[in-house]
Amino acid sequence: MTQDKFLCDIGFIGLGVMGKNLVLNLADNGYNIAAFDLSDEKVQALIAQDEIENTTGTPRVYGCSSYTELLSQLKAPHLIVLSVPAGDPVDQICENLIGAGIQPDDIIIDTGNSLWLDTVAREKKYKSNFLLFSSAVSGGEVGARFGPSLMPSGSPYAWARVKPIWEAIAAKVDKKTGKPIERTQPGQVITDGEPCTTYIGPAGAGHYVKMVHNGIEYADMQIICEAYHVLKSALRLTCDEIADIFSQWNKGPLDSYLLEISVEVLRHKTKDTNTPLVELILDKAGQKGTGLWTAMSSLELGCPAPTIAQAVYARSISSFKELRTQASALLTGPQQTALPAAEQQEIIEQLHDAMYCAKICAYAQGFQLMKLAGKEHGWTLDFASIAKIWRAGCIIRAAFLQSITNAYQQNEHLDNLMLDDFFIKQLNERQLNWRKAICFATMQGVPIGALSSSLAYYDSMRCETLPANLLQAQRDFFGAHTFERIDKTPGKKYHVQWSTKDRETVVVDS
Ligand code: 6PG
């Protein structure tokens, strides 16, 4: 196609799978795009795809071969979207755009999974050159094409410009039912429904929220994998049988995108041998870092997120394949025995409840973490709105997010999701089954770190008295770290002179 010169609404850099699909999504919604990638092949592939999909009769995408050309093809002030890997590539592009003449009132939107602290630093660093805005995208390639969940943050001035565009391309949920509105065809646009995007807060807040989304994603995935493991190893079910169970569960409170795709994965067979592909996939999990960042942040803030951390550890343990193979020949576990059908059915039901309760814990941890981070960094996060924009488009989308939305709409100050009436009821009704499923899996020797660490979290949270009294005494014994007493004035510090004969307790001046 000969490209006519026209001034575009948006510049786009980074035409990998996510970038290319975001461009086509923007184009479907009536925006003209000047697109650039260091690989000209990717630019050409985008133009070719747009020629197939574009039914408007006028060009929608202009392929550029340099940063300078990209800027020259845009309406001013320039709006440029980046879809590139987090880290150095973002800075390199920012520097290149400065070299190409970007202006202080131009906006660059980073849609990658950048570390939130990098985003805060970049906003400051580039302040005099351009406005750095960020908006992490969730939803994978299909989400990017037909409606992702978008978590924008940064300058409110930039948001005013970005908002109509973001609301147009985001996933939509039905205003009455809270359910996702399907959009599956190129050229299709959804103009009604609630868009899955909301302004999250100042620089860094959006990337932090996306990081926690991913931490929850890790936990959600691990919980499903552990259920699969129990069903496969302890109940000896086939992939098709497990898919049937998951598919059934997906009609109830566990209804989620991740469970839905797990069903599809479990049913998928190789063409040549008709074997479930999943059984041929090497059991070493990869990770790009967002789950780890979430766990690190929870440790730094002293906000427990054991299900999320355990999900990260599960990926790490999986990567020690050779060591695990060696240990499997040396370390014994329990003898696994086949169960009668009726007992199997009971275990399946218990496992369902265990998954649901563990999922509640994972979300409770994620939301509490965001709450603490918000306090720490001065962000006013609106948790009902965050839950709302995760109802569609993103990887953790699930019916369950409507219940979380309701919980925060009823009480915006909720300290922990487990204290919401709806979730109290769910946990109280299912906790016994949760324990039984964990006992069963443990006695069968199936590792269920996410399911069981969630239960420990639940039990710790509902335990009025924890053994930290002994721990404080130990600390005081070897390090004179002092302790408080429940029978004395709160805040007063005591120390026992453990090394002396009469071990006298003394009051310590703070
Ligand atoms: C999303 C995903 C997306 C990506 C993760 C995968 O919300 O669309 O979370 O961001 O798939 O980066 O992360 P891992 O490679 O760490 O599993």
PDB file of all heavy atoms in Angstrom, residues 18 113 137-140 210 213-214 217-218 286-291 315 394-395, ligand 1:
ATOM      1  N   MET A  18       1.554  -7.818  21.940  1.00  0.00           N
ATOM      2  CA  MET A  18       0.686  -6.908  22.702  1.00  0.00           C
ATOM      3  C   MET A  18       0.530  -5.576  21.965  1.00  0.00           C
ATOM      4  O   MET A  18      -0.575  -5.060  21.809  1.00  0.00           O
ATOM      5  CB  MET A  18       1.274  -6.642  24.091  1.00  0.00           C
ATOM      6  CG  MET A  18       1.236  -7.798  25.040  1.00  0.00           C
ATOM      7  SD  MET A  18      -0.429  -8.293  25.476  1.00  0.00           S
ATOM      8  CE  MET A  18      -0.906  -7.012  26.610  1.00  0.00           C
ATOM      9  N   ASN A 113       5.036  -3.767  32.081  1.00  0.00           N
ATOM     10  CA  ASN A 113       5.005  -4.120  33.501  1.00  0.00           C
ATOM     11  C   ASN A 113       6.226  -3.537  34.208  1.00  0.00           C
ATOM     12  O   ASN A 113       7.021  -4.260  34.813  1.00  0.00           O
ATOM     13  CB  ASN A 113       5.004  -5.645  33.677  1.00  0.00           C
ATOM     14  CG  ASN A 113       3.619  -6.228  33.549  1.00  0.00           C
ATOM     15  OD1 ASN A 113       2.619  -5.553  33.786  1.00  0.00           O
ATOM     16  ND2 ASN A 113       3.557  -7.492  33.166  1.00  0.00           N
ATOM     17  N   VAL A 137      -1.183  -2.791  31.305  1.00  0.00           N
ATOM     18  CA  VAL A 137      -2.257  -3.435  30.550  1.00  0.00           C
ATOM     19  C   VAL A 137      -2.342  -4.879  31.010  1.00  0.00           C
ATOM     20  O   VAL A 137      -1.327  -5.560  31.089  1.00  0.00           O
ATOM     21  CB  VAL A 137      -1.892  -3.441  29.039  1.00  0.00           C
ATOM     22  CG1 VAL A 137      -2.936  -4.199  28.231  1.00  0.00           C
ATOM     23  CG2 VAL A 137      -1.729  -2.032  28.526  1.00  0.00           C
ATOM     24  N   SER A 138      -3.508  -5.349  31.293  1.00  0.00           N
ATOM     25  CA  SER A 138      -3.642  -6.781  31.563  1.00  0.00           C
ATOM     26  C   SER A 138      -4.644  -7.388  30.603  1.00  0.00           C
ATOM     27  O   SER A 138      -5.631  -6.754  30.242  1.00  0.00           O
ATOM     28  CB  SER A 138      -4.103  -7.028  32.997  1.00  0.00           C
ATOM     29  OG  SER A 138      -4.249  -8.430  33.196  1.00  0.00           O
ATOM     30  N   GLY A 139      -4.344  -8.628  30.231  1.00  0.00           N
ATOM     31  CA  GLY A 139      -5.305  -9.348  29.379  1.00  0.00           C
ATOM     32  C   GLY A 139      -4.653 -10.155  28.284  1.00  0.00           C
ATOM     33  O   GLY A 139      -5.346 -10.781  27.484  1.00  0.00           O
ATOM     34  N   GLY A 140      -3.320 -10.101  28.222  1.00  0.00           N
ATOM     35  CA  GLY A 140      -2.633 -10.877  27.201  1.00  0.00           C
ATOM     36  C   GLY A 140      -2.987 -10.368  25.816  1.00  0.00           C
ATOM     37  O   GLY A 140      -3.577  -9.288  25.664  1.00  0.00           O
ATOM     38  N   LYS A 210      -0.896  -2.928  39.331  1.00  0.00           N
ATOM     39  CA  LYS A 210      -0.730  -4.002  38.336  1.00  0.00           C
ATOM     40  C   LYS A 210       0.196  -5.092  38.873  1.00  0.00           C
ATOM     41  O   LYS A 210      -0.016  -6.287  38.646  1.00  0.00           O
ATOM     42  CB  LYS A 210      -0.183  -3.438  37.019  1.00  0.00           C
ATOM     43  CG  LYS A 210       0.161  -4.502  35.963  1.00  0.00           C
ATOM     44  CD  LYS A 210      -1.038  -5.362  35.605  1.00  0.00           C
ATOM     45  CE  LYS A 210      -0.898  -6.204  34.356  1.00  0.00           C
ATOM     46  NZ  LYS A 210       0.166  -7.141  34.260  1.00  0.00           N
ATOM     47  N   HIS A 213      -1.859  -7.139  41.056  1.00  0.00           N
ATOM     48  CA  HIS A 213      -2.710  -7.972  40.186  1.00  0.00           C
ATOM     49  C   HIS A 213      -1.937  -9.218  39.784  1.00  0.00           C
ATOM     50  O   HIS A 213      -2.447 -10.348  39.835  1.00  0.00           O
ATOM     51  CB  HIS A 213      -3.122  -7.161  38.948  1.00  0.00           C
ATOM     52  CG  HIS A 213      -3.665  -7.995  37.813  1.00  0.00           C
ATOM     53  ND1 HIS A 213      -2.860  -8.757  36.993  1.00  0.00           N
ATOM     54  CD2 HIS A 213      -4.933  -8.216  37.385  1.00  0.00           C
ATOM     55  CE1 HIS A 213      -3.606  -9.396  36.106  1.00  0.00           C
ATOM     56  NE2 HIS A 213      -4.868  -9.080  36.319  1.00  0.00           N
ATOM     57  N   ASN A 214      -0.691  -9.023  39.396  1.00  0.00           N
ATOM     58  CA  ASN A 214       0.099 -10.172  38.943  1.00  0.00           C
ATOM     59  C   ASN A 214       0.443 -11.117  40.090  1.00  0.00           C
ATOM     60  O   ASN A 214       0.487 -12.333  39.906  1.00  0.00           O
ATOM     61  CB  ASN A 214       1.371  -9.693  38.243  1.00  0.00           C
ATOM     62  CG  ASN A 214       1.095  -9.254  36.815  1.00  0.00           C
ATOM     63  OD1 ASN A 214      -0.019  -8.852  36.503  1.00  0.00           O
ATOM     64  ND2 ASN A 214       2.084  -9.332  35.954  1.00  0.00           N
ATOM     65  N   GLU A 217      -2.432 -13.072  40.484  1.00  0.00           N
ATOM     66  CA  GLU A 217      -2.467 -13.987  39.322  1.00  0.00           C
ATOM     67  C   GLU A 217      -1.598 -15.223  39.605  1.00  0.00           C
ATOM     68  O   GLU A 217      -2.008 -16.360  39.355  1.00  0.00           O
ATOM     69  CB  GLU A 217      -1.968 -13.216  38.101  1.00  0.00           C
ATOM     70  CG  GLU A 217      -1.763 -14.007  36.830  1.00  0.00           C
ATOM     71  CD  GLU A 217      -1.136 -13.124  35.737  1.00  0.00           C
ATOM     72  OE1 GLU A 217      -1.711 -12.069  35.412  1.00  0.00           O
ATOM     73  OE2 GLU A 217      -0.056 -13.483  35.226  1.00  0.00           O
ATOM     74  N   TYR A 218      -0.404 -14.990  40.154  1.00  0.00           N
ATOM     75  CA  TYR A 218       0.491 -16.110  40.500  1.00  0.00           C
ATOM     76  C   TYR A 218      -0.216 -17.057  41.478  1.00  0.00           C
ATOM     77  O   TYR A 218      -0.164 -18.277  41.334  1.00  0.00           O
ATOM     78  CB  TYR A 218       1.766 -15.597  41.179  1.00  0.00           C
ATOM     79  CG  TYR A 218       2.909 -15.196  40.277  1.00  0.00           C
ATOM     80  CD1 TYR A 218       2.721 -14.322  39.213  1.00  0.00           C
ATOM     81  CD2 TYR A 218       4.198 -15.659  40.511  1.00  0.00           C
ATOM     82  CE1 TYR A 218       3.781 -13.929  38.423  1.00  0.00           C
ATOM     83  CE2 TYR A 218       5.271 -15.278  39.718  1.00  0.00           C
ATOM     84  CZ  TYR A 218       5.064 -14.402  38.677  1.00  0.00           C
ATOM     85  OH  TYR A 218       6.114 -14.018  37.890  1.00  0.00           O
ATOM     86  N   GLY A 286       8.363 -20.634  34.467  1.00  0.00           N
ATOM     87  CA  GLY A 286       9.104 -19.390  34.247  1.00  0.00           C
ATOM     88  C   GLY A 286       8.491 -18.268  35.067  1.00  0.00           C
ATOM     89  O   GLY A 286       7.426 -18.430  35.663  1.00  0.00           O
ATOM     90  N   GLN A 287       9.156 -17.151  35.126  1.00  0.00           N
ATOM     91  CA  GLN A 287       8.577 -15.966  35.773  1.00  0.00           C
ATOM     92  C   GLN A 287       9.363 -14.738  35.342  1.00  0.00           C
ATOM     93  O   GLN A 287      10.571 -14.796  35.188  1.00  0.00           O
ATOM     94  CB  GLN A 287       8.564 -16.087  37.291  1.00  0.00           C
ATOM     95  CG  GLN A 287       9.867 -16.493  37.946  1.00  0.00           C
ATOM     96  CD  GLN A 287       9.722 -16.633  39.453  1.00  0.00           C
ATOM     97  OE1 GLN A 287       9.114 -15.801  40.097  1.00  0.00           O
ATOM     98  NE2 GLN A 287      10.302 -17.697  40.005  1.00  0.00           N
ATOM     99  N   LYS A 288       8.609 -13.658  35.166  1.00  0.00           N
ATOM    100  CA  LYS A 288       9.267 -12.427  34.722  1.00  0.00           C
ATOM    101  C   LYS A 288       9.548 -11.474  35.863  1.00  0.00           C
ATOM    102  O   LYS A 288      10.232 -10.484  35.684  1.00  0.00           O
ATOM    103  CB  LYS A 288       8.414 -11.739  33.659  1.00  0.00           C
ATOM    104  CG  LYS A 288       8.303 -12.524  32.375  1.00  0.00           C
ATOM    105  CD  LYS A 288       8.113 -11.604  31.182  1.00  0.00           C
ATOM    106  CE  LYS A 288       7.731 -12.356  29.935  1.00  0.00           C
ATOM    107  NZ  LYS A 288       6.279 -12.489  29.801  1.00  0.00           N
ATOM    108  N   GLY A 289       8.962 -11.724  37.037  1.00  0.00           N
ATOM    109  CA  GLY A 289       9.369 -10.903  38.184  1.00  0.00           C
ATOM    110  C   GLY A 289       8.283 -10.178  38.949  1.00  0.00           C
ATOM    111  O   GLY A 289       8.511  -9.754  40.082  1.00  0.00           O
ATOM    112  N   THR A 290       7.103 -10.030  38.360  1.00  0.00           N
ATOM    113  CA  THR A 290       6.093  -9.221  39.060  1.00  0.00           C
ATOM    114  C   THR A 290       5.580  -9.906  40.335  1.00  0.00           C
ATOM    115  O   THR A 290       5.247  -9.227  41.309  1.00  0.00           O
ATOM    116  CB  THR A 290       4.913  -8.905  38.116  1.00  0.00           C
ATOM    117  OG1 THR A 290       4.581 -10.098  37.406  1.00  0.00           O
ATOM    118  CG2 THR A 290       5.265  -7.816  37.136  1.00  0.00           C
ATOM    119  N   GLY A 291       5.523 -11.245  40.321  1.00  0.00           N
ATOM    120  CA  GLY A 291       5.103 -11.977  41.530  1.00  0.00           C
ATOM    121  C   GLY A 291       6.139 -11.799  42.631  1.00  0.00           C
ATOM    122  O   GLY A 291       5.807 -11.555  43.798  1.00  0.00           O
ATOM    123  N   ARG A 315       7.086 -21.745  41.953  1.00  0.00           N
ATOM    124  CA  ARG A 315       7.745 -21.649  40.632  1.00  0.00           C
ATOM    125  C   ARG A 315       9.239 -21.900  40.784  1.00  0.00           C
ATOM    126  O   ARG A 315       9.854 -22.576  39.952  1.00  0.00           O
ATOM    127  CB  ARG A 315       7.499 -20.268  40.012  1.00  0.00           C
ATOM    128  CG  ARG A 315       6.062 -20.058  39.605  1.00  0.00           C
ATOM    129  CD  ARG A 315       5.916 -18.849  38.689  1.00  0.00           C
ATOM    130  NE  ARG A 315       4.511 -18.518  38.485  1.00  0.00           N
ATOM    131  CZ  ARG A 315       4.070 -17.711  37.538  1.00  0.00           C
ATOM    132  NH1 ARG A 315       4.904 -17.149  36.693  1.00  0.00           N
ATOM    133  NH2 ARG A 315       2.783 -17.449  37.410  1.00  0.00           N
ATOM    134  N   CYS A 394      -8.837  -8.472  32.233  1.00  0.00           N
ATOM    135  CA  CYS A 394      -7.525  -8.869  32.787  1.00  0.00           C
ATOM    136  C   CYS A 394      -7.446 -10.382  33.011  1.00  0.00           C
ATOM    137  O   CYS A 394      -8.437 -11.096  32.892  1.00  0.00           O
ATOM    138  CB  CYS A 394      -7.260  -8.123  34.095  1.00  0.00           C
ATOM    139  SG  CYS A 394      -8.370  -8.580  35.420  1.00  0.00           S
ATOM    140  N   ILE A 395      -6.259 -10.829  33.357  1.00  0.00           N
ATOM    141  CA  ILE A 395      -6.020 -12.270  33.503  1.00  0.00           C
ATOM    142  C   ILE A 395      -6.750 -12.845  34.718  1.00  0.00           C
ATOM    143  O   ILE A 395      -7.145 -13.998  34.713  1.00  0.00           O
ATOM    144  CB  ILE A 395      -4.487 -12.543  33.603  1.00  0.00           C
ATOM    145  CG1 ILE A 395      -3.769 -12.035  32.349  1.00  0.00           C
ATOM    146  CG2 ILE A 395      -4.202 -14.024  33.825  1.00  0.00           C
ATOM    147  CD1 ILE A 395      -4.119 -12.705  31.052  1.00  0.00           C
TER     148      ILE A 395
HETATM  149  C1  6PG B   1      -1.379  -9.770  32.361  1.00  0.00           C
HETATM  150  C2  6PG B   1      -0.242 -10.699  32.649  1.00  0.00           C
HETATM  151  C3  6PG B   1       0.966 -10.262  31.907  1.00  0.00           C
HETATM  152  C4  6PG B   1       2.008 -11.338  31.744  1.00  0.00           C
HETATM  153  C5  6PG B   1       2.796 -11.591  32.988  1.00  0.00           C
HETATM  154  C6  6PG B   1       3.291 -12.999  33.079  1.00  0.00           C
HETATM  155  O1  6PG B   1      -1.883  -9.205  33.317  1.00  0.00           O
HETATM  156  O2  6PG B   1      -1.738  -9.636  31.194  1.00  0.00           O
HETATM  157  O3  6PG B   1       0.048 -10.723  34.005  1.00  0.00           O
HETATM  158  O4  6PG B   1       1.407  -9.089  32.484  1.00  0.00           O
HETATM  159  O5  6PG B   1       1.433 -12.496  31.283  1.00  0.00           O
HETATM  160  O6  6PG B   1       3.894 -10.740  32.919  1.00  0.00           O
HETATM  161  O7  6PG B   1       4.199 -13.017  34.067  1.00  0.00           O
HETATM  162  P1  6PG B   1       5.152 -14.219  34.352  1.00  0.00           P
HETATM  163  O8  6PG B   1       5.987 -14.449  33.120  1.00  0.00           O
HETATM  164  O9  6PG B   1       5.946 -13.743  35.493  1.00  0.00           O
HETATM  165  O10 6PG B   1       4.284 -15.399  34.631  1.00  0.00           O
END
